[in-house]
Amino acid sequence: MSRPANPVRGEAMLHFGDDKILLRPTFAALVAAEEELGPLFALVERAASGQLKLSEMVALFWHCRFEAQDKLDRNGFAEAVAEQGIAENTPVLKILLGQILSGQ
């Protein structure tokens, strides 16, 4: 059962065909992403300068999955993100990065 993303929480929705994956940047999710990727502000700076790697975007998305059904393992998830392409994923990335910066 999928519910809409709540922008007040900084949530975003990934769409892989008919599958929807809710991304919520909770404290625990962001700590896990930071452990893997390094400081989040450096991640935001890399994104702002066009230096964010696809693998970093995938890692951030992976850690922010909320109540995921886990139909995909991490490799399958990464492939699905890559198939979507940068243009399709940029709005989702902007929402998450905005939440990191605002900290609401």
Side-chain angles (χ1 to χ4, degrees), residues 14 23-25 29-34 36-37 40 43-44 47 52-65 74 77 92-98 100:
L14 279 177
L23 303 181
R24 180 187 289 174
L30 295 178
V31 167
E34 193 169 51
E36 180 175 343
L37 301 170
L40 294 177
L43 180 82
V44 171
L52 188 72
K53 297 176 185 175
L54 178 60
S55 62
E56 292 175 316
M57 181 172 53
V58 167
L60 179 62
F61 288 0
W62 177 259
H63 290 295
C64 289
R65 293 171 307 126
R74 183 143 178 192
F77 181 85
V92 174
L93 180 64
K94 283 183 179 181
I95 291 169
L96 295 180
L97 294 177
I100 289 169

Side-chain angles (χ1 to χ4, degrees), residues 15-42:
H15 298 270
F16 299 143
D18 292 335
D19 293 328
K20 295 178 184 175
I21 299 174
L22 179 67
L23 303 181
R24 180 187 289 174
T26 63
F27 178 76
L30 295 178
V31 167
E34 193 169 51
E35 285 295 317
E36 180 175 343
L37 301 170
L40 294 177
F41 284 114

